[in-house]
């Protein structure tokens, strides 16, 4: 039996465009403030909140709430598993794009 096609290695939670974009942004930062991510991804607060929560439920993103002075803030970061799954997803996409046989 041949090895599975590289698409079998794609990480399902990262297949949504906003979740993919968020993981890409967080892969290059220790953490990112919610509003910075929202502006970078050009989405509404509610869209980012929903997609970040789905990645948190998959243990790919950590959502941390706190305050700066008296103002509430939310920070997002990839978990160690999130970094691993991000690399796996990118390798699978690369293999698919290069037409590599399974």
């Amino acid at each position: 039996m041949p090895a599975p096609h590289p698409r079998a290695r794609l990480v399902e939670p990262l297949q949504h465009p906003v979740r993919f974009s968020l993981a890409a942004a967080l892969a290059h930062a220790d953490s990112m403030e919610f509003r910075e991510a929202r502006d970078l991804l050009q989405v509404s607060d509610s869209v980012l909140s929903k997609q970040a929560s789905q990645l948190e439920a998959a243990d790919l993103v950590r959502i941390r709430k706190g305050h700066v002075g008296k103002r509430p803030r939310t920070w997002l970061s990839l978990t160690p598993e999130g970094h691993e799954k991000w690399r796996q997803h990118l390798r699978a996409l690369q293999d698919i794009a290069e037409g590599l046989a399974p």
Side-chain angles (χ1 to χ4, degrees):
M1 176 180 234
H5 188 275
R7 75 176 168 274
R9 296 192 323 265
L10 291 172
V11 178
E12 192 280 324
L14 297 177
Q15 292 184 37
H16 185 280
V18 174
R19 293 191 300 262
F20 179 89
S21 299
L22 178 57
L26 296 177
H28 300 285
D30 289 334
S31 68
M32 185 176 289
E33 196 170 321
F34 182 92
R35 65 184 180 152
E36 182 183 0
R38 177 202 61 207
D39 294 347
L40 180 67
L41 274 54
Q42 300 176 354
V43 295
S44 67
D45 286 356
S46 62
V47 167
L48 181 57
S49 180
K50 178 180 178 180
Q51 300 307 322
S53 292
Q54 289 182 358
L55 289 175
E56 181 182 42
D59 196 32
L60 302 180
V61 164
R62 178 174 182 244
I63 300 174
R64 183 174 59 86
K65 297 187 179 277
H67 289 83
V68 174
K70 293 184 178 187
R71 302 186 131 210
R73 295 283 188 254
T74 301
W75 293 271
L76 308 168
S77 59
L78 283 182
T79 63
E81 181 176 352
H83 280 285
E84 179 183 322
K85 293 295 186 179
W86 172 248
R87 289 188 296 272
Q88 173 188 329
H89 194 75
L90 287 182
R91 281 191 305 271
L93 288 172
Q94 188 67 42
D95 288 348
I96 292 167
E98 291 176 359
L100 297 180

